[in-house]
Amino acid sequence: GDSVTQMEGPVTLSEEAFLTINCTYTATGYPSLFWYVQYPGEGLQLLLKATKADDKGSNKGFEATYRKETTSFHLEKGSVQVSDSAVYFCALYRMDSSYKLIFGSGTRLLVRP
Amino acid sequence: GAVVSQHPSRVICKSGTSVKIECRSLDFQATTMFWYRQFPKQSLMLMATSNEGSKATYEQGVEKDKFLINHASLTLSTLTVTSAHPEDSSFYICSAGMTGGISTEAFFGQGTRLTVV
């Protein structure tokens, strides 16, 4: 079945460091891919998405490129801020899956001043 | 973006009692709502999909008599954990899809931490 695998956290970085959170997926067909973020005490928010191969999603300085050949959707940011501290979830969705989102386990990011 | 409110955010209950969790879409109508469960350090797992005015569709392995879902209006879905036991302790999250939308337009509640003692 479909699945999403994320790197385990927590990831601890200093402010202005480069961030990569790895995400790979297993799915039949051509899923859409997402990154969601959950700030402390809040719900999940869509951070960015990509709907087809080679698409790049971007938002708030974060980027992720849909790589079909490596079945990956790694999240990157060139310079993290303390305010980026949150839990990040990679997810996929297939049009024929009754609108179900399949999530990775989440990666906690802690950015220190 | 659209707002989904989930209540309560935390609840502690005694074993054997029932707990109701509400999920409301505050500024849009949600024909479809989803209920997820998250164990510590694990993925969000979809429990069920509820459509307004019809019975919920449960994922394999989810006990429908244990987790009662009602979606009586376009802005409210409820999840009732019946005869709760300590193993039901978990983080429950709802999401709502906008009318005619797909899950790319799903908006999430803040989650409910259930502890059964």
Side-chain angles (χ1 to χ4, degrees):
Chain A
D2 296 351
S3 66
V4 176
T5 302
Q6 280 181 246
M7 62 188 291
E8 283 195 27
V11 174
T12 304
L13 296 173
S14 298
E15 205 165 23
E16 298 184 2
F18 184 86
L19 168 72
T20 299
I21 300 178
N22 290 338
C23 171
T24 56
Y25 68 90
T26 301
T28 56
Y30 302 93
S32 295
L33 302 173
F34 308 84
W35 277 100
Y36 283 85
V37 58
Q38 185 174 32
Y39 298 104
E42 298 184 18
L44 273 72
Q45 301 173 28
L46 179 63
L47 180 60
L48 54 85
K49 67 180 181 181
T51 58
K52 60 182 187 297
D54 299 326
D55 266 3
K56 177 185 284 187
S58 61
N59 185 26
K60 299 181 181 179
F62 291 89
E63 291 183 342
T65 301
Y66 189 146
R67 301 286 189 199
K68 187 173 182 297
E69 63 275 14
T70 55
T71 62
S72 65
F73 193 54
H74 304 322
L75 182 68
E76 297 182 335
K77 186 174 185 181
S79 177
V80 294
Q81 305 301 312
V82 173
S83 57
D84 293 326
S85 298
V87 180
Y88 293 82
F89 293 91
C90 185
L92 71 79
Y93 155 81
R94 287 192 296 118
M95 287 288 288
D96 59 348
S97 63
S98 301
Y99 312 145
K100 299 174 190 176
L101 279 167
I102 297 173
F103 288 89
S105 55
T107 303
R108 182 174 298 278
L109 170 65
L110 177 61
V111 181
R112 300 189 184 281
Chain B
V3 177
V4 173
S5 175
Q6 192 173 335
H7 177 81
S9 57
R10 291 179 183 273
V11 58
I12 300 173
C13 70
K14 291 185 178 181
S15 188
T17 62
S18 295
V19 174
K20 180 184 284 188
I21 302 169
E22 294 186 346
C23 181
R24 295 181 183 272
S25 56
L26 297 186
D27 50 3
F28 67 100
Q29 293 183 327
T31 53
T32 304
M33 288 187 173
F34 304 87
W35 287 95
Y36 295 86
R37 181 175 180 177
Q38 185 179 29
F39 293 99
K41 298 183 180 181
Q42 294 190 29
S43 299
L44 277 75
M45 295 181 63
L46 181 65
M47 298 174 64
T49 303
S50 74
N51 294 292
E52 185 265 338
S54 63
K55 290 185 178 180
T57 302
Y58 289 81
E59 295 300 299
Q60 192 172 12
V62 177
E63 299 177 61
K64 57 184 67 176
D65 294 331
K66 171 72 146 173
F67 299 99
L68 301 179
I69 291 172
N70 183 280
H71 192 163
S73 76
L74 286 171
T75 59
L76 174 65
S77 177
T78 60
L79 167 68
T80 301
V81 183
T82 62
S83 187
H85 291 283
E87 57 266 29
D88 299 325
S89 298
S90 192
F91 191 61
Y92 295 87
I93 303 177
C94 71
S95 73
M98 299 185 77
T99 303
I102 57 177
S103 64
T104 55
E105 298 174 19
F107 300 94
F108 287 82
Q110 73 271 35
T112 298
R113 173 76 60 192
L114 170 63
T115 303
V116 184
V117 297

